[in-house]
Amino acid sequence: RGALTMIRRYARQRREYLYRKSLEGKEKQEYERKQKLRRALAEGKDIPTELQDDVDRLSKQIQLEDENTQNMHDIVDDEYANAGIEEPTILITTSRNPSSRLSQFAKEMRLVVPNAQKMNRGGHTIPEIIDACKSKGISDILVVHETRGQPDGLIVCHLPFGPTAFFALSNCVLRHDIEDVAPLSLAYPHLIFHNFTSKLGERTSNILKYIFPVPKDDSKRVITFANENDYISFRHHMYEKEGNRVELDEVGPRFEMKLYQIRLGTLDQDEADVEWALRPFMRT
């Protein structure tokens, strides 16, 4: 009975989510009409012809809006509405029959991401894992993949409704591959996002940022996501400040990431809309 109640609750929440998404087109048209009216009033120009029948109604709405409500909020804002309020809880798993190197990579990612737990994949299917995580209140799932024993894929799935981001990995160097590696602190890390200025960059940084909790000011741990020509370099350091000098010690792992798809649903929903996908010769 409890499982049936949970299924009904998530089905209802999913319907509400899709309904809000269906309203985006209408809300965008209304937002653009109000923006036209604002510009006309601010510049002292004539009211556009297509707005003259709705001037009174739109003016009343504009008067009632403040800094938070005058901007359009889309479905993306709802996905991370509780970010920063509740600490994220992360599940990390692998593709089936992982090699020892992929298992080691998953263990090191568990140390990289606070509040993460690693689960052996075994015979579990993705829908089974998603359902179990939803019932336990898990906020995100990370799935790592490999080719011939080398980690080459990372999937970040936000629960309960998505989005799901797919990254290709390359040049993966594990923590135990680094000579004289520094000790690793488990303090929540500070995050640095470099060159994520486009709309897609902001979307990608949000997907990655919200798997980490808010750090304390005195944390000596820093994680860097540096975007250069659509390749994201992941670096993980501890730092010490001595006077005006800052000394960095790499603690690993390190790798390059390349985003190739964002879906609006969760990983088990093959029919979910593709928000963005990499195409040959695309400039992002």
Side-chain angles (χ1 to χ4, degrees):
R1 183 177 177 82
L4 182 60
T5 302
M6 183 190 72
I7 292 171
R8 287 175 175 169
R9 182 174 72 249
Y10 281 117
R12 184 186 72 251
Q13 291 174 342
R14 183 68 184 170
R15 286 196 300 271
E16 292 172 355
Y17 173 84
L18 293 174
Y19 174 69
R20 291 199 307 272
K21 189 174 187 304
S22 71
L23 297 178
E24 278 188 359
K26 298 177 183 177
E27 291 176 356
K28 186 175 182 181
Q29 289 179 356
E30 188 76 355
Y31 171 76
E32 291 173 350
R33 289 166 67 84
K34 286 188 283 188
Q35 288 296 94
K36 286 182 181 178
L37 180 58
R38 280 196 183 94
R39 284 195 295 269
L41 295 175
E43 297 171 4
K45 296 181 179 180
D46 293 337
I47 304 298
T49 305
E50 67 270 18
L51 300 181
Q52 290 179 356
D53 293 339
D54 286 338
V55 169
D56 292 340
R57 181 180 64 82
L58 293 175
S59 297
K60 288 180 181 178
Q61 291 184 9
I62 290 173
Q63 290 173 1
L64 294 173
E65 291 175 342
D66 58 20
E67 293 181 356
N68 292 324
T69 57
Q70 71 180 5
N71 295 319
M72 181 179 170
H73 297 283
D74 59 17
I75 201 68
V76 171
D77 299 304
D78 292 334
E79 293 166 347
Y80 294 102
N82 294 326
I85 300 173
E86 299 176 357
E87 288 194 352
T89 51
I90 315 298
L91 179 77
I92 299 174
T93 190
T94 65
S95 52
R96 292 184 185 276
N97 302 317
S99 66
S100 59
R101 187 169 178 81
L102 186 67
S103 296
Q104 180 64 30
F105 179 62
K107 290 177 183 177
E108 294 188 6
M109 289 302 295
R110 183 180 64 82
L111 298 177
V112 167
V113 182
N115 301 330
Q117 51 188 312
K118 177 182 175 292
M119 186 190 82
N120 293 327
R121 177 69 179 271
H124 299 294
T125 64
I126 289 296
E128 289 172 349
I129 294 173
I130 297 286
D131 288 343
C133 288
K134 285 180 179 179
S135 66
K136 297 296 184 182
I138 300 292
S139 63
D140 294 86
I141 299 175
L142 307 186
V143 184
V144 290
H145 294 267
E146 66 181 339
T147 298
R148 299 185 184 90
Q150 290 296 328
D152 68 347
L154 171 66
I155 301 172
V156 181
C157 175
H158 184 63
L159 298 177
F161 305 127
T164 302
F166 298 79
F167 297 90
L169 303 184
S170 59
N171 302 328
C172 187
V173 178
L174 303 189
R175 174 175 161 80
H176 75 269
D177 295 334
I178 302 173
E179 293 185 5
D180 301 323
V181 66
L184 174 61
S185 167
L186 296 181
Y188 294 172
H190 296 286
L191 302 179
I192 297 174
F193 286 90
H194 174 68
N195 201 19
F196 287 79
T197 52
S198 66
K199 188 172 181 180
L200 176 62
E202 292 177 1
R203 177 67 157 150
T204 305
S205 66
N206 282 341
I207 291 171
L208 295 171
K209 173 171 62 179
Y210 290 129
I211 65 176
F212 294 90
V214 178
K216 294 184 178 179
D217 292 339
D218 59 354
S219 175
K220 301 294 185 183
R221 187 177 167 206
V222 60
I223 289 176
T224 305
F225 296 91
N227 179 32
E228 191 68 37
N229 296 326
D230 296 333
Y231 281 92
I232 303 169
S233 296
F234 175 92
R235 298 295 184 268
H236 186 196
H237 295 88
M238 298 294 298
Y239 75 89
E240 287 292 339
K241 192 172 182 180
E242 299 178 2
N244 294 328
R245 294 178 64 252
V246 175
E247 183 177 336
L248 285 177
D249 289 315
E250 186 175 12
V251 293
R254 67 172 180 259
F255 48 85
E256 316 301 320
M257 309 166 63
K258 187 171 181 68
L259 176 71
Y260 64 88
Q261 190 179 89
I262 299 177
R263 281 193 213 155
L264 283 175
T266 52
L267 184 55
D268 59 328
Q269 296 171 337
D270 294 332
E271 73 283 359
D273 292 342
V274 175
E275 178 182 337
W276 180 89
L278 181 67
R279 307 291 183 212
F281 311 110
M282 175 186 288
R283 293 186 65 184
T284 57

